Amino acid sequence: QVQLLESGGGLVQAGGSLRLSCAASGRTFSSYAMGWFRQAPGKEREFVSRITGNGGSTYYADSVKGRFTISRDNAKNTVYLQMNSLRPEDAAVYYCAAGWSPAEVAGAYRYWGQGTQVTVSS
């Protein structure tokens, strides 16, 4: 069982930055691939980024590539999402998720956080 808790969301102006954190419980954090997803009102949940258990491989949605960076600190049981050059269309609830294999589909992840709201003003 893994419990995930996101933090770091908030209101930011377009062009600004935020750093999301996702703290995980449990002693096997490094065994899990971690992903970030987001969901805007009236839209389906969409993939943002993912990282392998050892942090050696990352992948990004085209919409965030070059602006967002995913990383993890296994000693702290935490995964991060650094978001730069934010745009109004990045506004959403951001969720972190843990799964056995790195993937770009939500169904591949077993454990989910409660989400953190990101609002971007134009």
Side-chain angles (χ1 to χ4, degrees):
Q1 185 77 11
V2 175
Q3 293 183 323
L4 304 172
L5 182 64
E6 302 97 334
S7 61
L11 172 64
V12 63
Q13 288 188 332
S17 298
L18 282 175
R19 188 195 196 201
L20 304 184
S21 299
C22 173
S25 65
R27 295 176 292 179
T28 59
F29 178 69
S30 62
S31 300
Y32 291 95
M34 298 297 295
W36 284 98
F37 290 76
R38 66 187 182 186
Q39 188 167 19
K43 295 187 177 182
E44 293 187 354
R45 189 169 298 190
E46 67 171 351
F47 167 78
V48 175
S49 183
R50 54 95 167 149
I51 188 168
T52 51
N54 64 4
S57 176
T58 59
Y59 189 78
Y60 300 90
D62 287 343
S63 59
V64 307
K65 199 172 296 181
R67 300 188 297 122
F68 290 12
T69 303
I70 190 171
S71 62
R72 66 190 298 161
D73 184 340
N74 286 343
K76 295 182 178 180
N77 278 18
T78 302
V79 63
Y80 305 97
L81 186 68
Q82 178 67 45
M83 306 186 295
N84 298 330
S85 302
L86 282 161
R87 305 167 180 169
E89 55 264 37
D90 293 319
V93 177
Y94 282 71
Y95 300 90
C96 69
W100 293 116
S101 299
E104 292 83 62
V105 293
Y109 293 86
R110 181 168 183 177
Y111 302 105
W112 291 82
Q114 85 294 342
T116 186
Q117 177 72 50
V118 172
T119 303
V120 184
S121 62
S122 58

